[in-house]
Amino acid sequence: MRTRPLKVALLGCGVVGSEVARIMTTHADDLTARIGAPVELAGIAVRRPDRVREGVPAELVTTDATALVKRGDIDVVIEVIGGIEPARKLITTAFEQGASVVSANKALVAADGAALHAAAEEHGADLYYEAAVAGAIPLVRPLRESLAGDKVNRVLGIVNGTTNFILDKMDTSGAGYSEALDEATALGYAEADPTADVEGFDAAAKAAILAGIAFHTRVTIDDVHREGITEVTAADIASAKRMGCTVKLLAICERAADGASVTARVHPAMIPLTHPLASVREAYNAVFVESEAAGQLMFYGPGAGGSPTASAVLGDLVAVCRNKLSEATGPGESAYTQLPVSPMGEVVTRYHISLDVADKPGVLAQVAMVFAEHGVSIDTVRQQGKDGEASLVVVTHRAADAALSSTVEALRNLDTVRGVASIMRVEGE
């Protein structure tokens, strides 16, 4: 067994970083046995050195992340600071020094993964980021390695625990969006500024990473259609229940039927209660992968938090260290298909549309005519009227998103339609 330890620099010591440091210290013997050489935490870069970090050796703490990465004796850099800069510069500097990188930075990988992979390859280093998607759930490695000989056609899942908690509370308790968000914040599931979660940015970054790996093509966060959950109402939840559905924020990555393009999108959707994703509660994550040979695979577990994310980081650390010992590198970027990402308008699915209309004869016929004129077939209609006003709920057959958008625009121009209360896609059938 090699006696010189592999030296690790840790960038960031927040919730995840401190847990990584704790496990590396307390499980040092196990990590040594699994890797085949000792692993030494050589330094920890932080922004606030005076902050108390229980179990973290004070002598390892520094505020100079660049100097730590440039030391010359660092074998692996673990980056858990997040954001684009200075993370990107620190990672590329690590590669230039010959160090491999383990990252949990979904935003950076989704925005600039191709350049990072190229830099890693240029310097003979590894870039691993299992922790960037779905916390402790093994997902990146199965897609990148276990299914490398298969053809993945679809990835469908819940990849943000905060929004799943909020929607679950709205469904089970009847709470409104604001009430459910307040509870999520009080329990620590939502940040003080929840925008990245509730507006779908977090899930969109993860969708970009998953689509790129699954379809062997380059997909960035800018390619992902994104809608959040802030407009989901108690009425939407109740309407879903009447249909035998529940509402989830879904990340959906699909290969076109002809194989010539892919799509990636994040938005709230109704899914049948019979679908396994419907039973994913609280802040848990779950992802369905559909491939030609393996069929349907489901990955389920905690998608965030210090310990689960640290578990994924350390799994990557073990793999990268083993590669270092064997003087090899693991899988890099696979983008050989170079498939284009189709716009959202070409996505085909079903829709649930709720309209506020005048309660008088002929309204339903007018509405149905608009749907027909734009090539959108109606599956079911439910109408409820009171005091001269009515609610009209239309569920369509499968149609292109562009056709649905033009239909809604035409509906808004009808004198008898007082408003489009909500539009939601229906998935998972």
Side-chain angles (χ1 to χ4, degrees):
M1 179 183 291
R2 166 175 164 159
T3 56
R4 184 181 77 77
L6 291 157
K7 294 193 175 183
V8 178
L10 176 61
L11 309 182
C13 199
V15 173
V16 175
S18 59
E19 189 66 8
V20 168
R22 184 191 70 78
I23 296 174
M24 285 188 66
T25 303
T26 58
H27 294 181
D29 291 342
D30 285 341
L31 289 172
T32 296
R34 294 168 191 174
I35 291 168
V39 178
E40 177 186 309
L41 190 55
I44 305 171
V46 301
R47 285 182 296 178
R48 297 187 293 274
D50 297 332
R51 179 180 170 186
V52 177
R53 296 172 175 87
E54 188 176 344
V56 176
E59 66 273 14
L60 296 181
V61 173
T62 177
T63 57
D64 195 340
T66 302
L68 175 60
V69 170
K70 285 184 171 181
R71 267 179 38 170
D73 62 341
I74 299 299
D75 296 289
V76 182
V77 171
I78 298 175
E79 183 272 308
V80 289
I81 56 179
I84 304 300
E85 294 292 357
R88 173 165 44 199
K89 180 60 178 176
L90 290 169
I91 288 174
T92 54
T93 300
F95 291 144
E96 291 165 0
Q97 297 295 315
S100 290
V101 173
V102 172
S103 176
N105 195 332
K106 53 188 168 287
L108 179 57
V109 175
D112 210 19
L116 294 177
H117 274 294
E121 183 177 4
E122 179 185 353
H123 296 285
D126 274 323
L127 172 62
Y128 276 49
Y129 42 87
E130 183 68 66
V133 182
I137 304 172
L139 192 56
V140 171
R141 193 174 287 114
L143 282 173
R144 194 159 67 170
E145 299 179 29
S146 304
L147 295 174
D150 205 344
K151 182 180 180 181
V152 176
N153 291 318
R154 194 171 195 237
V155 179
L156 166 73
I158 298 163
V159 295
N160 182 271
T162 301
T163 52
N164 198 59
F165 179 89
I166 292 170
L167 293 172
D168 183 46
K169 287 303 173 185
M170 292 176 70
D171 180 74
T172 57
S173 70
Y177 168 77
S178 296
E179 295 171 82
L181 174 58
D182 288 343
E183 184 175 354
T185 304
L187 292 172
Y189 292 127
E191 301 286 345
D193 179 2
T195 303
D197 292 320
V198 299
E199 294 292 356
F201 290 101
D202 174 85
K206 295 170 182 176
I209 295 170
L210 292 175
I213 298 171
F215 306 135
H216 304 278
T217 197
R218 286 179 178 170
V219 180
T220 71
I221 191 169
D222 292 334
D223 297 317
V224 181
H225 174 83
R226 176 192 54 79
E227 297 173 28
I229 65 166
T230 56
E231 301 301 318
V232 177
T233 65
D236 293 326
I237 301 292
S239 192
K241 284 186 175 181
R242 284 192 288 268
M243 289 176 57
C245 294
T246 189
V247 177
K248 299 290 185 183
L249 183 73
L250 297 180
I252 305 172
C253 311
E254 294 177 301
R255 190 191 300 267
D258 62 3
S261 64
V262 299
T263 58
R265 50 196 166 104
V266 168
H267 53 71
M270 296 179 179
I271 59 171
L273 294 176
T274 53
H275 195 285
L277 289 179
S279 62
V280 178
R281 311 297 296 274
E282 300 281 330
Y284 278 77
N285 285 191
V287 177
F288 255 83
V289 177
E290 300 175 9
S291 67
E292 289 194 354
Q296 289 188 335
L297 306 172
M298 182 172 174
F299 301 83
Y300 170 83
S307 293
T309 306
S311 171
V313 168
L314 289 164
D316 279 350
L317 176 64
V318 169
V320 167
C321 286
R322 287 172 175 170
N323 291 343
K324 281 282 183 182
L325 292 180
S326 61
E327 298 182 348
T329 55
E333 183 191 34
S334 175
Y336 70 91
T337 63
Q338 299 183 0
L339 296 173
V341 182
S342 296
M344 186 62 186
E346 296 181 15
V347 169
V348 176
T349 189
R350 297 180 68 208
Y351 301 87
H352 173 284
I353 304 101
S354 180
L355 306 171
D356 294 327
V357 300
D359 188 12
K360 62 182 183 180
V363 172
L364 180 56
Q366 284 185 331
V367 168
M369 181 61 70
V370 171
F371 276 88
E373 288 172 349
H374 291 85
V376 180
S377 174
I378 293 176
D379 182 18
T380 63
V381 177
R382 186 178 71 251
Q383 184 172 0
Q384 208 169 18
K386 184 179 179 182
D387 299 330
E389 296 184 355
S391 172
L392 194 65
V393 174
V394 178
V395 179
T396 74
H397 289 291
R398 288 171 60 81
D401 198 87
L404 192 281
S405 296
S406 61
T407 301
V408 170
E409 189 62 31
L411 288 170
R412 287 194 170 106
N413 292 327
L414 287 180
D415 292 338
T416 51
V417 174
R418 296 173 178 174
V420 179
S422 73
I423 305 165
M424 193 168 293
R425 297 167 184 88
V426 182
E427 301 283 352
E429 294 180 307

